[in-house]
Structures are given as structure tokens and as C-alpha cells.
Amino acid sequence: MPETKSISETKLNPEQKSIEPLTRPPLLHVSVQESLRKYIQSNQLKAGDPLPPETFLAQRLGVGRNSVREAIKALESIGILETRRGIGVFVKEFSFKPLLDNLAYGLQDSLRDVEELREIRRVLETGLIAKTIEMISAEDIAALRQLTESMRRRAERQESFAEEDQQFHQLLFRCQNNHMLSALIDIFWVAFNKASNFTSLDNPTPLATWRDHHEIVEAVAAKDVDRARQRLDDHYRGIQQVIAKNRIT
């Protein structure tokens, strides 16, 4: 009786083509999501515009209402749609919040990612500070000085001034009236602080952190672009040092 070989022992002829793995089709509710996206785009629906009822969508797509419902929930989770109870489903006004939440969650405790995020913030702000210096008003300078004075008082009491810090970076670029820039600054600031837990880290030199912000304002007020950029660089190096110290301890 001839010896039979197990499947694991069987060798394929080198000239034979290998068997290609099966490609799984996308889940049904994922396909429905894509159809709904295309429907919104092709009809140029804007924030507040309604979608057809679930029953209508299910009939037109040839799927069950549960698949439509799952797709709608998925699109709600990323901020594309919103369900108004008893009224219907509507296109939602665009928001960076879902991106912000996912970004912060995705970073978690990754030191490399936190450092990369800090670098993005640094490049963004140093690159745009010259435009701020061209456009900033006396009122904004006064508001920045008032804010940094509040930082100083908190620093002297060894208190955190995270809220003032976030306001500072928003106010510094408010004069550019760039809504996308404002949203990005908030995204990078909040995501960075969530990912690094920066507001809870021990800062051995809170007065030095205050002084960084103070010197940035004074450089902007003096319309000294090079000094403003240098002070922003100093500020972000200080942030890196605080994180590095807390990672070691």
C-alpha cells in the first residue's frame, strides 16, 4: 500500500501557481454607509438637510432596515449624521470633535506620538506667527497681557493654568480670522494634553512656563518676528523637557 503524505508534508510544484486567498466582501452595513455618503455628496446636502426615511432607504438599497440603522449609527459616530428623535435623520454640521476624540484615544501613552504631536504644534505656530504680527490689534495684545498676568499669579501659587494656556494659543492667532486654523490649534492642544496627561504632570518651573508666554507676547507687541519664533521654540522645548522628566520619574 503506497505511503500517503499529510497535507502539511505535501510540497507544491514550484511551477504551480499558489492559491489566492479569498477576498471578503465588505459588511453589508459598511456598503450602506458608503451608499449614504455618495447620496449626500451627489445631492450636495448641507448641514440640516434631511435624509429620506429608513424604510425608503432600505427599499431603494434592497437591504433590511437594520442594516440602514447600523449604517446611520456609524455615520453619527463620526459626525456626519444626527438623529432627531421623532423627526428623522439629518446631515450634521461639520465638527472636528470626533477627530479630536479619536486622535487623543489613538495616541494614548505613546511617547513617540506625543512628541510628534508637540512638533506639529510647534511648526504650525512658528510658521504662522509672522502673519499674526502683521495683523494683531492693540486690543488682542492687551488681552494676551491680561491672560499672561493671570498665568503669573497662578504660577506663583504653584497652580496649574491649563485653561489660560489653551486660551493663550487661540487668542494669539485669533486676529487671522482663520476658522480652520483655530480648529486645528484646539485639536492639537487638547489631543496633546489628553495623550500626554500634560496638565497633571509635575512642572518644576511654572514661572518659567509663564515667562515663555509673557516673552512671546512682548515679542509680538514689538513686532519682532525672529524673537517671537525663538520664544515659541523655547516654549515647546520647555514642554518637551517637562514630559521627559515625568517619563523618567
Side-chain angles (χ1 to χ4, degrees):
M1 183 175 180
E3 182 183 355
T4 59
K5 295 182 180 180
S6 67
I7 293 175
S8 61
E9 294 175 324
T10 302
K11 294 183 179 180
L12 294 175
N13 186 320
E15 296 180 359
Q16 289 180 323
K17 294 183 179 179
S18 61
I19 300 175
E20 295 294 330
L22 293 175
T23 301
R24 293 185 177 181
L27 297 173
L28 184 57
H29 72 88
V30 174
S31 297
V32 176
Q33 285 181 51
E34 188 58 32
S35 294
L36 293 180
R37 286 175 187 265
K38 289 178 180 177
Y39 176 83
I40 292 169
Q41 292 172 351
S42 61
N43 289 280
Q44 299 182 337
L45 299 185
K46 302 181 294 298
D49 288 341
L51 255 63
E54 285 182 7
T55 303
F56 175 86
L57 292 171
Q59 290 174 347
R60 292 302 299 267
L61 292 170
V63 299
R65 287 184 62 183
N66 283 341
S67 295
V68 173
R69 196 169 294 122
E70 286 184 52
I72 289 173
K73 286 181 179 178
L75 293 176
E76 282 184 304
S77 71
I78 56 176
I80 292 177
L81 297 176
E82 62 176 335
T83 298
R84 300 176 190 172
R85 189 175 296 277
I87 302 176
V89 179
F90 296 81
V91 178
K92 189 174 183 180
E93 184 175 358
F94 176 76
S95 170
F96 274 108
K97 189 176 185 304
L99 171 62
L100 171 59
D101 292 340
N102 290 329
L103 180 60
Y105 175 79
L107 290 173
Q108 293 292 332
D109 294 323
S110 172
L111 179 60
R112 174 178 175 179
D113 288 343
V114 169
E115 170 58 24
E116 289 174 354
L117 192 54
R118 182 198 68 86
E119 180 64 7
I120 291 171
R121 287 182 62 196
R122 184 192 70 80
V123 171
L124 181 68
E125 295 194 16
T126 56
L128 290 170
I129 194 64
K131 189 171 182 180
T132 278
I133 288 174
E134 289 178 8
M135 301 179 68
I136 198 163
S137 67
E139 289 77 16
D140 281 348
I141 292 289
L144 283 164
R145 283 173 170 157
Q146 184 177 1
L147 202 55
T148 53
E149 178 59 20
S150 176
M151 289 181 178
R152 183 188 64 79
R153 291 194 297 267
R154 286 185 174 274
E156 288 176 343
R157 297 194 297 266
Q158 297 294 307
E159 296 176 355
S160 170
F161 43 83
E163 184 177 341
E164 289 88 346
D165 194 338
Q166 185 176 6
Q167 291 174 4
F168 176 91
H169 291 271
Q170 276 291 350
L171 184 53
L172 186 62
F173 296 94
R174 182 176 69 179
C175 61
Q176 298 190 26
N177 197 31
N178 184 326
H179 299 299
M180 182 68 73
L181 172 61
S182 296
L184 286 172
I185 288 173
D186 261 354
I187 282 177
F188 292 134
W189 194 95
V190 177
F192 173 83
N193 280 278
K194 282 185 178 180
S196 65
N197 196 27
F198 189 75
T199 55
S200 299
L201 300 184
D202 176 42
N203 182 359
T205 57
L207 279 170
T209 304
W210 156 74
R211 190 170 292 106
D212 284 343
H213 291 85
H214 170 75
E215 293 296 338
I216 291 167
V217 176
E218 296 311 311
V220 170
K223 303 212 176 281
D224 189 331
V225 175
D226 290 339
R227 185 155 65 99
R229 282 187 180 137
Q230 183 59 55
R231 290 301 183 181
L232 277 166
D233 264 332
D234 292 343
H235 174 49
Y236 281 105
R237 273 200 300 272
I239 289 174
Q240 193 275 333
Q241 289 167 4
V242 170
I243 292 176
K245 178 182 181 301
N246 280 269
R247 293 288 182 181
I248 293 171
T249 56

